[in-house]
Structures are given as structure tokens and as C-alpha cells.
Amino acid sequence: MSKALSDRRKFILNMARGVGLATMSGFIWSAFIDEATAAKLTLRPPGALKEEDFLKTCIKCGLCVEACPYDTLSLAAPGDNKAIGTPFFIPRDIPCYMCTDIPCVPVCPTGALDESSVTTNEKLDINVADMGLAIVDEKSCVAFWGIQCDACYRACPLLDVAITIEYSKNERTGKHAFLKPVVHADACTGCGMCEHACITEDAAIKILPRDLVQGKAGSHYIKGWDKEDEKRLENAKEIKTVTEISKKTAVDSLNSNLLEDLY
Amino acid sequence: MKKLWNSYRYLFFRRFTQISLLILYFGANAWGWKMLQGNLSSSTILGVIPMSDPYAALQMLAAGATLATDLLLGVLVVTLLYFVVGGRAFCSWVCPINMVTDFASFVRELIGMNKLTGVKQPASRKLRYWVLGLSLIVSAIMGLAAFEFISPISMLHRGIVFGIGFGWAGVLIIFLFDLFVLKNGWCGHICPLGGFYSILGKFSLIRVKHNEENCTLCMKCKVVCPENQVLHMIGKKSLPVLSGECTNCARCIEVCDDDALSFSLRSMAQNKKTGE
Ligand code: SF4
Ligand code: SF4
Ligand code: SF4
Ligand code: SF4
């Protein structure tokens, strides 16, 4: 039985072992990367591609980090629970100050920070940046209690555009007003100046990645009162769906399997 | 003294280069120096000349990313650089992990670990090419540059340059692995970046050359070489080291007391003669 393996057999076995090991390691490797890039709560520098493409494109060089004069950005280290090596910021610590010359974007060698996404009329325009969206927690924001605070409103680089103050009557006292901050999703850049300025113990206004907080109505809803939106109807095609209706009578259907199902 | 300098001169220059590069990168982040900004994945010299890791770019390509012009230019610069100085010159002159694995290898010899495990290595040095291939496959499947998310090299380098956490664990594992499990385990067997540069090194210009007439067969070179399979011609034939796995660390040159090894330029004629 102790016959030596033939060369051919050895070769085949070795190949099989190689392929087997490679497949196994491949799966472990993939699973690890899947985990390592799963962090959803990561705020990216201005002009970042959408997360999936960003992770694909960013080479983790940190040139954006070095370019930021406010030390806003850092690269994720092991233990940060973020996709390792990629740039992010935590607005409560240091927000993005929305530099008008956006130094962090043009230095990016890979286009992971896309200049064209922060450009209007061929000029860099930080106001169209989209790093996230500010969300107010009405439970902890003291302005909603009736206490006057407009820290976030005043901190906002797009004051009166991205945050406005809504006045309403304080029925509890009968003689005071609520001065409530309201964020406008179309204008907010997610810079986090508001979160940074918020006076509550844990910020009552927080920046979250947009896809985490924003929904989508679906293209079949059209605002009939909005001329622009109505235009979408012009190219609309009729779709007919037919549902086959059962020919049986209701009694048939009731009698069919009912008893069998019960017993 | 002269002798000491003679047999460690390249080692000194290598450490000097490795550490200076780290300081320059660190200074760029900490004090805004302009010499060398970024990190080993991608950087600029004086804010003008781009440099990018070609292996990272290759993974990005496999992952289906669009490669920007700046990135491609950087890849070209780095590829040309290592085409001249020897592919794995990156390993022995730049890579920070090299200091870790060299240290492991030094301690290994010191405590007599090599005697315990014997000369026969239990793993193939071809493994790195498998890891290299696998990294590209995983990149393609996951749509992400696979090695860049686990690379202990980038983790260590980023950790030092940006003053963030390093993944000490990864570095320690490599050190212990090299020390107790496999001689030259990481750099000589597994690291796919080393594998990538080995392939580039097959074509590069600066090579170590052996002059058999001077050789006294002391075999000191084979003992210090981290990739001693590339020195198969020692005492047999006057040949340049043609394998890309040679890291151009020049340890063999400096330990040779008989002037039997030196740097040379690869000439095409030589290649033809030896059939490589
Ligand atoms: S816009 Fe300015 S503050 Fe904001 S991340 Fe870029 S460089 Fe930093
Ligand atoms: S500059 Fe671009 S590639 Fe470099 S870390 Fe920043 S986003 Fe990534
Ligand atoms: S994140 Fe806050 S401060 Fe920045 S634009 Fe939005 S609302 Fe204004
Ligand atoms: S083999 Fe890899 S870790 Fe070792 S020195 Fe080369 S690149 Fe660095």
C-alpha cells in the first residue's frame, strides 16, 4: 500500500490543495473586508463620491487630511471602527469650516473627492457640498422647550438658508415665543458647524450621512401642483397590469380547503 | 572601525533612507513641510511630482474603479523609479515593515532559533504570488482594493505619519511570526507587495553581481541574505543576480570580505547569455 504517489498525481493533489487553500483564504479575506467596510455612520470630506465608489477609489493617502487647515479630517485607524485608512470627520470635535477654496478636494489624486461635485460655473463652491444632513432632536433641543438658543442657527455658514428660525407661540406661558431651528435639507451641506456649536450636553443637532436619514418617494408620485415635477409626465408611458380574477364563486372558495386546513 | 563601517555601510544608508522618509512624511502632516506629502499609497514631492503605489492602483483596477490621471502619472513615476533602482529596493530602502522583519531576523539568529528549525524552510517562497493573485481576485469580487484594507505596511506607515493608531497587533504578529514560525516569513514568503515588486524587479536595471574568481566560498553572503535562493550562483559562476526577489539591500556586498559581490547595471547582453 505504501506505493509512492506518481508525479502526475502529486501535481494534481498539490494543485487541488493550492486552489482549496486559496478559496478558503479568499472567503475569509472577503468576509473580513465586508465587516471592515460596513460602518454606516462615516462622514466624508466635501466632494466625496457616494460611499461605495468612495471606498473603491480612495487610495488612503491622507493628502486631503494634510490639506485641511483646521485639522478637521483624519484617517481611520484600527479601532476607529471605520473603513481603515479612509478620511472622515467628527463634527462635534472639529467640524468642516467650509473653506471657500476647499483645499482638501483638488489635492486628491484619485478623484475620490470629486472637484466637479463642488463646482458651480467652473468655480469651486463649497456651498453645494454634501457631506451629510443636520437633524434636530426636538426632545433635547432646548429651543423646543421654549428656552431661547440659536447657537446652531448663528454657527451655520449658510445662516438663514440651511437653518432658519421658526416662530410659534408658547401656549404654556401664553406670552412667550418658541424660536425653533429648522434645517432645510436642500441647502444643508452637513458641515457640522451647528453640531459643534450646540450647547446641550450631547448635541441636539447631529449630522448624519444623507442616505441614512433621507427616504425616497418613488418616481410614481408626482407633485401635480409643481410645474417642473409635472413635466415628468410628458415622457411617461402607460403601463397596464392585469390581475387574473378567479372564476370560482365565493362559496366554492370558502368550501374548498377550509376544513382540511382546520383538521 | 574601518572594517565595521565597511560591513554595515549599506545597512546604515538604508536605515537612514527609511527613517528620513518617515520623518519627511511625518513633517508634512505635523508641520506642513512640502518635501514629501501623503504616504506610501500616494504622495507628492514638493507638491508637484506625483507618486502612487502601482500595486494599489492594480487592485483598484481589478475592483473596477476609475483611475484618475494624477494617479496614473504617480504610478508611472514609481514604476520607473523602481525599474531603475530594482523593484524590491522598495522593500529594503523604503518599507517600514522591513525594519521590523530585519530585527526579527537578527534576533532569530542571535538566540539560535535558526539552529532549532534547521535550514529547510517549511513554506514556499512562491506563496506571495498566490497572495498577490488572490488579492486581485478578492478585489474584483468585493469591488474594493482588497490588500489596502488589511495591509500592515500601510497601517504602520499611516500610524507613524499621521500619529494615529497603528495596528500594533499586526506588526507584532509579523514580528513573532518571523521570529518563531518562519524565517523571513512575512517579507520572504507572504507579502504580496513584495511579490509585486519582485515581478517588477525581474526587469530592473541595478543588480547585484557576483564575481566568482574572488569568491572564497565563506558563504557569509548566503547567511545574511533574506532571499538567499537568489544567490544560487555563489562560488559557481560569475553572474548578476537576476531574480526579482533580490531586494537590493546590499547586505551580501558589505559582508563579503573578498570583493566578490558588487552593484552593477543589468545589460541586455548579459540577459541573453544566461537565457533569462
Ligand atoms: S472645506 Fe476646509 S474645513 Fe472643510 S474639510 Fe475641507 S479643508 Fe477642512
Ligand atoms: S486625498 Fe483622496 S485618495 Fe487621498 S485619502 Fe483623501 S480622499 Fe482618499
Ligand atoms: S450642517 Fe448645520 S451648520 Fe452646516 S450647513 Fe447644515 S445646518 Fe448649517
Ligand atoms: S516584502 Fe512587503 S513588508 Fe517586506 S519589505 Fe517588501 S513590501 Fe515591505
Side-chain angles (χ1 to χ4, degrees):
Chain A
M1 276 315 280
S2 63
K3 213 179 104 215
L5 291 173
S6 72
D7 279 352
R8 191 182 139 85
R9 206 182 160 87
K10 248 193 212 150
F11 175 76
I12 293 174
L13 278 180
N14 268 327
M15 278 310 274
R17 185 162 72 163
V19 172
L21 282 175
T23 316
M24 190 184 80
S25 347
F27 273 117
I28 298 175
W29 197 338
S30 308
F32 176 81
I33 289 177
D34 215 28
E35 276 300 305
T37 54
K40 288 276 174 289
L41 284 168
T42 314
L43 297 175
R44 299 297 182 195
L49 300 176
K50 66 176 178 17
E51 187 67 7
E52 191 191 331
D53 292 328
F54 183 78
L55 286 175
K56 194 176 282 200
T57 314
C58 168
I59 201 168
K60 310 173 179 67
C61 64
L63 283 168
C64 52
V65 175
E66 287 175 8
C68 176
Y70 298 100
D71 288 341
T72 300
L73 307 171
S74 37
L75 293 184
D80 281 340
N81 287 328
K82 304 212 156 35
I84 205 152
T86 55
F88 69 100
F89 73 106
I90 297 180
R92 190 63 164 169
D93 298 341
I94 312 177
C96 165
Y97 286 82
M98 288 179 59
C99 315
T100 44
D101 55 343
I102 330 182
C104 51
V105 173
V107 294
C108 178
T110 59
L113 306 180
D114 177 14
E115 253 185 273
S116 69
S117 75
V118 281
T119 303
T120 29
N121 301 327
E122 314 211 339
K123 274 173 90 179
L124 285 174
D125 178 8
I126 189 68
N127 294 350
V128 299
D130 186 7
M131 298 166 265
L133 176 60
I135 301 293
V136 181
D137 172 27
E138 302 181 358
K139 273 277 182 280
S140 51
C141 170
V142 295
F144 284 77
W145 299 3
I147 298 173
Q148 194 195 339
C149 168
D150 53 8
C152 55
Y153 168 73
R154 294 195 179 278
C156 180
L158 298 172
L159 176 140
D160 263 336
V161 183
I163 304 190
T164 51
I165 296 287
E166 188 188 284
Y167 301 90
S168 58
K169 190 174 174 191
N170 185 342
E171 301 289 354
R172 183 176 60 81
T173 65
K175 55 187 169 192
H176 298 99
F178 286 116
L179 276 71
K180 301 175 184 166
V182 176
V183 177
H184 300 279
D186 295 341
C188 173
T189 62
C191 68
M193 293 292 282
C194 50
E195 178 176 340
H196 185 64
C198 182
I199 54 101
T200 54
E201 190 180 309
D202 185 0
I205 184 166
K206 284 200 170 87
I207 316 303
L208 291 169
R210 282 200 178 236
D211 50 354
L212 229 66
V213 277
Q214 284 189 304
K216 192 177 172 202
S219 59
H220 54 293
Y221 282 101
I222 290 179
K223 297 174 190 149
W225 57 90
D226 179 343
K227 284 252 152 48
E228 276 303 302
D229 211 31
E230 272 267 297
K231 280 196 188 137
R232 288 199 290 143
L233 269 178
E234 282 167 17
N235 312 322
K237 271 192 253 102
E238 189 182 17
I239 305 170
K240 264 222 171 82
T241 55
V242 183
T243 316
E244 208 170 318
I245 296 168
S246 166
K247 300 254 164 28
K248 289 182 188 161
T249 67
V251 177
D252 278 349
S253 150
L254 273 174
N255 284 344
S256 60
N257 283 327
L258 200 60
L259 292 180
E260 280 149 52
D261 282 353
L262 277 176
Y263 297 102
Chain B
M1 196 58 210
K2 179 118 202 301
K3 170 102 186 358
L4 200 69
W5 168 247
N6 221 30
S7 47
Y8 290 102
R9 58 192 199 274
Y10 283 113
L11 188 63
F12 172 81
F13 285 132
R14 278 171 47 213
R15 293 295 176 256
F16 181 77
T17 318
Q18 282 165 327
I19 293 170
S20 309
L21 289 175
L22 279 178
I23 294 175
L24 286 179
Y25 277 123
F26 182 86
N29 182 50
W31 307 298
W33 294 357
K34 293 275 174 283
M35 262 304 281
L36 207 49
Q37 292 167 288
N39 61 29
L40 290 179
S41 301
S42 191
S43 41
T44 57
I45 306 175
L46 295 167
V48 184
I49 305 170
M51 292 200 293
S52 297
D53 174 359
Y55 174 46
L58 197 64
Q59 292 169 68
M60 287 164 66
L61 195 69
T66 338
L67 303 188
T69 332
D70 280 1
L71 179 72
L72 289 173
L73 273 177
V75 166
L76 192 71
V77 170
V78 172
T79 312
L80 281 178
L81 174 71
Y82 290 113
F83 169 71
V84 175
V85 298
R88 289 195 72 198
F90 171 81
C91 295
S92 56
W93 294 79
V94 177
C95 183
I97 290 283
N98 170 260
M99 292 191 260
V100 178
T101 55
D102 270 2
F103 184 58
S105 162
F106 171 76
V107 178
R108 205 184 154 95
E109 185 66 40
L110 199 72
I111 63 176
M113 204 61 201
N114 289 329
K115 294 202 188 72
L116 183 70
T117 53
V119 204
K120 182 94 184 82
Q121 289 273 49
S124 161
R125 288 189 182 264
K126 296 270 172 284
L127 200 57
R128 52 186 151 210
Y129 304 112
W130 281 81
V131 179
L132 176 63
L134 191 61
S135 72
L136 297 180
I137 295 175
V138 175
S139 298
I141 294 174
M142 300 297 292
L144 291 169
F147 186 63
E148 300 312 300
F149 282 92
I150 60 169
S151 162
I153 309 157
S154 326
M155 264 185 244
L156 177 62
H157 194 253
R158 267 199 306 270
I160 297 172
V161 172
F162 292 90
I164 52 178
F166 277 24
W168 277 105
V171 175
L172 191 67
I173 290 171
I174 289 182
F175 179 76
L176 294 176
F177 181 73
D178 272 26
L179 181 54
F180 294 121
V181 184
L182 185 61
K183 183 168 187 251
N184 303 122
W186 172 260
C187 294
H189 295 76
I190 298 171
C191 177
L193 185 57
F196 176 84
Y197 279 124
S198 297
I199 296 174
L200 185 60
K202 274 214 170 77
F203 310 97
S204 53
L205 293 182
I206 297 184
R207 299 277 80 190
V208 172
K209 190 172 175 297
H210 179 49
N211 181 358
E212 189 254 323
E213 277 142 53
N214 290 355
C215 180
T216 55
L217 290 176
C218 71
M219 291 298 154
K220 279 190 192 161
C221 52
K222 284 215 169 186
V223 174
V224 293
C225 181
E227 299 278 349
N228 54 23
Q229 75 280 9
V230 308
L231 289 177
H232 53 79
M233 77 296 282
I234 295 297
K236 295 184 191 131
K237 225 174 181 181
S238 290
L239 271 183
V241 172
L242 291 169
S243 164
E245 285 164 9
C246 165
T247 68
N248 275 4
C249 69
R251 286 292 286 146
C252 54
I253 300 179
E254 59 193 5
V255 297
C256 181
D257 298 324
D258 308 298
D259 235 354
L261 288 153
S262 58
F263 273 128
S264 74
L265 281 184
R266 175 199 299 264
S267 75
M268 292 309 162
Q270 249 162 356
N271 291 354
K272 273 206 198 93
K273 215 162 42 197
T274 57
E276 285 253 349

